[in-house]
Amino acid sequence: MSVAPVPHRRWLIAALASVLALTATGAFAGHAFSADVPRGAKVLGISIGGTAAEAADALRTGLAGKADQLAAPLTVRVGEQTATVQPQDVGLAVDVDATVARAVSRGHNPFATLFGGAEVAPVVSVDEARLAAALAPAAQQSGAAMTLPGVGFDGTTPKPVYPKAGRGLDAAEAADAVRDGWLRRGEVEVPLGEKAPVSSKDDVDRMVAEVATPAVSAPVTVTTPKGAVTVSPKAIAASLVITSDPKGELYSRVDAKRLRKALGKELAKVEVQPKNATIDGSGGAPQVVAASGGTLVDTAKLAGDLLPVLKRSADRAVSAGFKDVKPATTTGDLAELGIKEQVSSFTTYFTGGLSSPRSKNIVQIAKEVDGAIVRPGETFSLNGHTGPRGYAEGYHDAPVIMDGKLVPGVGGGASQFTTTIFNASYYAGMKDVEHKPHSYYFTRYPAVIESTIMYPTLDLRFTNTTPYGVLIDTSHTDSSVTVSMWSTKVYDSITTQYDPKRDIEQPKKVALEDGPTCIATEGSEGFTQDAWRIFRKDGKEIKREKFTWRYNAEPQFVCEAKKPPLTAKP
């Protein structure tokens, strides 16, 4: 059953339509003779009416007056965590041109002008990637990160890592939320959403079957103009990377750096290493040893060519070329940097000969540092120069200090070299940036001015504050390691003056359970001492620096067999 329209309702609708038609007609007609941006239009309270150019100028001027507000830190809530974002760090700003274009568009739309009012919302720009990076720590604490798929190796056995969904930050959604909430709310909330890797468990299994397993099934022969090189399954496993991008898309590649490291002795059969210019002072008067170039296998290209071969079960061969490599330091560099004379030398001594694991570690780290040059203003980092010091890098198990006692650990003995190079830099006048003496005092080292090291948390660093370059030269015998530094002398001499020991503490006896990890010690007294580094120039003392350290009393550790538990007599 239909109901006829009420006459007065019919009249009201018709009247409203006429008003809207007249309004639209008038607005369009008026706009044809008006400015680009209607009079009365505002952005953040800033009047911008006029031509587009005038509006842009007015908006820029007005925003300059709100500089403090626009630069104020923004609080962003990500799940249960909050982060403080600096607008300039993430590119958060008002896009003037886009905002004016929006205002012009509103002026051309009479309905927007009629119902939208005079206020125009600003168009806000933000760098999505930088914003996501700024919010990442809060997102990680608040959400459960998804597990990205990949394939690792245990020796030469592929080990799949299956994907797992989590809750995380969506960069585009975060940017939208910040754009919308900035300048409108004191705190912006960014949602965390369900995130799942795009690759599935089946994709991982397929990667294992089609790439990882055949890759390590047999060696690959690399032919070069100077002979063949064999890439063993172990070297393949060490250099083949099967991982995924941030979205969880699986991919595989051969890492060129890992490949070079894994091939090691194989490459040495066909390569000629470049040699840096250095100084030989063994004959008394220093002699410059000229640099020479080298020819190395182009492992960057080989890595790309090797990947498709790894997927084959037969015809596992690939060719590789060479590239000429210039020395890092030439004879001209030494002259230009003023490297002409020995400015310091320091030697420490060890026992056990060169066959002991500890001695091997000392020699290994010394070889890695030999020939390094520290240019004026540069800071030398021992950890940065050597990188990790593990089995793969040629280091061996030897005693290290852990939790106050000596235990077997890879790289033991590196601290002796650290002390040696620290003293060489100390007597060369280098600026001490980071070093830490041992917890206990060892008589083979000078008190206070000695240093330990632990990768990556504890480093030795010094800065060359002289106007000349510094060449680090290392050498060893079967019972000692020496570090010499070559440059141009700035000081007549650098010496050390000690204050008396104080707050002396005697060691205590501590019994440890006998076993392979127990290392007995005689113990040593604890004490505090000051050492003064004294600089002299033109026959006068020009400055002195104070070094202070407190040594703990090292317990006398005794290895004893574990006593059986007491049993009650019947």
Side-chain angles (χ1 to χ4, degrees):
M1 176 179 172
S2 62
V3 179
V6 179
H8 75 271
R9 177 184 291 179
R10 219 186 281 135
W11 175 87
L12 181 60
I13 293 172
L16 180 58
S18 299
V19 169
L20 290 175
L22 289 172
T23 302
T25 303
F28 285 123
H31 182 75
F33 301 95
S34 69
D36 293 324
V37 179
R39 292 187 183 90
K42 294 182 178 181
V43 175
L44 299 176
I46 303 167
S47 296
I48 62 167
T51 66
E54 290 171 342
D57 288 343
L59 183 54
R60 288 190 179 94
T61 301
L63 291 175
K66 296 177 178 289
D68 291 343
Q69 177 186 353
L70 298 175
L74 175 67
T75 300
V76 181
R77 177 166 290 280
V78 185
E80 299 178 354
Q81 303 295 320
T82 58
T84 301
V85 174
Q86 303 293 338
Q88 64 271 23
D89 291 343
V90 296
L92 190 57
V94 174
D95 187 327
V96 172
D97 292 336
T99 302
V100 170
R102 174 180 284 179
V104 170
S105 176
R106 284 173 57 86
H108 282 271
N109 185 342
F111 296 102
T113 304
L114 179 66
F115 296 110
E119 187 68 27
V120 179
V123 177
V124 176
S125 61
V126 68
D127 188 311
E128 285 189 11
R130 287 160 63 186
L131 177 64
L135 300 180
Q140 290 171 1
Q141 293 181 42
S142 189
M146 63 181 178
T147 301
L148 296 174
V151 181
F153 287 92
D154 181 4
T156 57
T157 303
K159 295 293 181 181
V161 178
Y162 292 117
K164 184 179 179 181
R167 286 179 58 78
L169 191 74
D170 183 279
E173 290 182 1
D176 286 341
V178 169
R179 273 191 289 258
D180 181 63
W182 184 49
L183 304 176
R184 296 176 60 187
R185 293 185 288 275
E187 181 177 286
V188 175
E189 185 170 351
V190 169
L192 288 177
E194 186 80 10
K195 297 192 72 176
V198 297
S199 294
S200 65
K201 179 179 181 296
D202 289 343
D203 293 326
V204 175
D205 289 337
R206 191 176 304 112
M207 188 68 83
V208 170
E210 297 178 1
V211 180
T213 300
V216 294
S217 62
V220 173
T221 300
V222 179
T223 57
T224 80
K226 295 184 179 180
V229 172
T230 300
V231 188
S232 67
K234 184 177 179 181
I236 293 170
S239 55
L240 179 59
V241 177
I242 302 177
T243 185
S244 56
D245 64 17
K247 293 183 179 180
E249 183 74 37
L250 277 166
Y251 67 91
S252 60
R253 65 181 177 87
V254 175
D255 187 288
K257 289 184 178 179
R258 293 188 186 182
L259 178 63
R260 171 163 288 282
K261 188 174 182 179
L263 290 177
K265 294 179 180 179
E266 283 291 311
L267 290 179
K269 298 176 183 177
V270 297
E271 290 184 331
V272 176
Q273 293 290 333
K275 293 183 180 180
N276 293 329
T278 188
I279 296 178
D280 181 8
S282 60
Q287 297 291 325
V288 174
V289 180
S292 60
T295 53
L296 304 182
V297 171
D298 189 349
T299 47
K301 185 176 185 304
L302 175 59
D305 295 342
L306 187 60
L307 186 60
V309 177
L310 297 180
K311 301 175 184 180
R312 301 200 295 252
S313 58
D315 189 23
R316 291 171 66 88
V318 64
S319 62
F322 288 90
K323 61 179 181 179
D324 294 331
V325 181
K326 295 180 179 179
T329 305
T330 66
T331 305
D333 291 332
L334 296 185
E336 182 181 343
L337 292 170
I339 300 174
K340 62 181 183 182
E341 59 189 332
Q342 190 178 101
V343 295
S344 71
S345 186
F346 198 82
T347 301
T348 59
Y349 298 88
F350 51 81
T351 59
L354 295 179
S355 61
S356 78
R358 187 175 185 278
S359 303
K360 290 179 180 178
N361 291 337
I362 293 171
V363 171
Q364 177 65 32
I365 191 171
K367 286 181 178 178
E368 293 182 28
V369 174
D370 188 39
I373 287 183
V374 188
R375 295 177 180 271
E378 283 187 345
T379 296
F380 175 86
S381 162
L382 187 52
N383 277 341
H385 193 85
T386 68
R389 295 179 292 273
Y391 302 121
E393 289 74 31
Y395 289 85
H396 305 267
D397 279 331
V400 298
I401 297 177
M402 191 72 66
D403 297 328
K405 58 180 181 291
L406 287 172
V407 297
V410 62
S415 287
Q416 175 155 351
F417 179 80
T418 306
T419 289
T420 312
I421 191 172
F422 170 72
N423 274 267
S425 70
Y426 172 98
Y427 287 109
M430 300 293 100
K431 179 183 177 181
D432 175 37
V433 177
E434 179 185 355
H435 88 283
K436 183 180 179 182
H438 289 80
S439 302
Y440 304 136
Y441 175 61
F442 298 97
T443 56
R444 61 177 174 267
Y445 304 144
V448 182
I449 50 173
E450 48 93 5
S451 184
T452 184
I453 196 167
M454 181 68 69
Y455 186 88
T457 55
L458 194 59
D459 199 3
L460 170 77
R461 294 185 295 147
F462 59 83
T463 299
N464 178 10
T465 56
T466 77
Y468 310 104
V470 173
L471 170 68
I472 302 174
D473 175 60
T474 70
S475 60
H476 67 275
T477 68
D478 60 358
S479 61
S480 68
V481 61
T482 298
V483 176
S484 301
M485 294 198 173
W486 297 76
S487 185
T488 292
K489 284 192 175 182
V490 174
Y491 307 102
D492 293 346
S493 68
I494 296 175
T495 58
T496 301
Q497 178 181 304
Y498 283 98
D499 288 345
K501 298 177 183 178
R502 61 183 183 274
D503 303 327
I504 297 175
E505 179 185 2
Q506 298 302 318
K508 298 179 180 178
K509 183 177 179 180
V510 176
L512 299 176
E513 184 178 345
D514 197 9
T517 62
C518 181
I519 299 176
T521 64
E522 293 296 324
S524 63
E525 65 181 17
F527 61 91
T528 301
Q529 194 168 25
D530 303 323
W532 296 87
R533 178 161 63 159
I534 302 172
F535 299 76
R536 289 185 174 85
K537 188 174 184 179
D538 299 329
K540 296 184 297 184
E541 179 182 325
I542 60 171
K543 66 175 178 177
R544 59 171 54 200
E545 295 174 345
K546 183 181 181 181
F547 293 78
T548 302
W549 189 250
R550 170 69 191 176
Y551 289 104
N552 297 325
E554 180 189 15
Q556 180 187 3
F557 289 112
V558 179
C559 301
E560 296 181 350
K562 187 176 181 180
K563 296 179 180 179
L566 295 175
T567 55
K569 293 182 180 180

